[in-house]
Amino acid sequence: MGIEEKLPSGILLTTVEQIAGLVRKSSMWPATFGLACCAIEMMSAGGPHYDIARYGMEKFGATPRQADLMIVAGRVSQKMAPVLRQIYDQMPEPKWVIAMGVCASSGGMFNNYAIVQGVDHIVPVDMYLPGCPPRPEMLFDAVLKLHDKVQNTKLGAHRRREIEEEEERKLRRQLPYPVYAATEHSEGVGR
């Protein structure tokens, strides 16, 4: 005998966090940052054949001040890295980043001094999208997974607690360097 049974039909119970998550995920406006061949696939995702508008993302803005999602599509050169960071900094909070393609995720086949080996060295990345180039369907899959992440994002003090718990988990997974170094070099001493 809960409160749900005493309410008339048509009454919906939810929380502010769930409503805010639904609104945020249903109205993402991506900032286009197409740098190479992956950008062609990103552009085709906005075309009539694939139609990214069905996910509430019909406005691909050229201004970062109205965007809350950055899709980095393609390789990022060292000269372009400060521009990428500046555009990211100009986006309002909350903001999310998708690294589209293997070049944006890890530098790809360009293992040299001119290409950044992963855009996560410049901006925090929420979703990595592999492929060379990834198909629009893969971009849609990454967007839907990001929608789930946005839908379940906590607000206020709950969010701060969630961030602290995640940082603690990451710290617990790291093995301290002195312990690792001592066990590795102790076998060959004195021989």
Side-chain angles (χ1 to χ4, degrees):
M1 203 40 124
I3 192 169
E4 296 89 9
E5 294 156 3
K6 294 182 180 185
L7 292 173
S9 64
I11 300 294
L12 178 69
L13 296 177
T14 188
T15 63
V16 174
E17 284 180 344
Q18 289 175 340
I19 292 291
L22 179 70
V23 169
R24 284 180 179 168
K25 84 167 194 171
S26 300
S27 62
M28 281 191 172
W29 286 1
T32 57
F33 205 82
L35 298 168
C37 44
C38 292
I40 302 298
E41 298 295 325
M42 182 177 64
M43 286 182 246
S44 69
H49 185 70
Y50 294 103
D51 192 24
I52 200 167
R54 62 184 156 180
Y55 302 114
M57 301 173 64
E58 55 270 332
K59 182 187 177 293
F60 272 88
T63 172
R65 303 199 192 279
Q66 297 173 352
D68 51 5
L69 170 64
M70 175 185 278
I71 302 174
V72 181
R75 60 188 178 270
V76 180
S77 66
Q78 295 289 351
K79 290 177 101 175
M80 189 57 76
V83 176
L84 176 74
R85 184 61 198 203
Q86 181 180 9
I87 290 173
Y88 177 80
D89 290 338
Q90 290 175 353
M91 292 170 59
E93 290 288 339
K95 52 190 167 186
W96 298 277
V97 177
I98 293 178
M100 183 176 177
V102 70
C103 292
S105 299
S106 64
M109 65 197 91
F110 303 102
N111 189 10
N112 60 31
Y113 67 93
I115 302 299
V116 175
Q117 299 301 304
V119 74
D120 54 354
H121 293 288
I122 305 163
V123 294
V125 176
D126 296 294
M127 192 69 54
Y128 294 92
L129 177 58
C132 184
R135 299 284 304 143
E137 295 91 350
M138 295 172 70
L139 177 60
F140 292 157
D141 183 57
V143 165
L144 290 175
K145 287 178 181 171
L146 186 63
H147 279 182
D148 289 340
K149 182 177 181 178
V150 170
Q151 173 77 39
N152 299 320
T153 299
K154 306 285 185 193
L155 297 176
H158 299 290
R159 177 70 180 143
R160 283 191 291 276
R161 191 175 330 117
E162 187 179 55
I163 290 171
E164 289 170 2
E165 289 172 1
E166 185 177 334
E167 287 175 354
E168 280 182 31
R169 255 182 293 164
K170 287 180 181 177
L171 286 174
R172 273 189 248 127
R173 280 189 286 183
Q174 293 177 353
L175 186 63
Y177 178 73
V179 173
Y180 176 72
T183 59
E184 180 182 334
H185 296 294
S186 60
E187 296 173 5
V189 176
R191 290 186 186 184

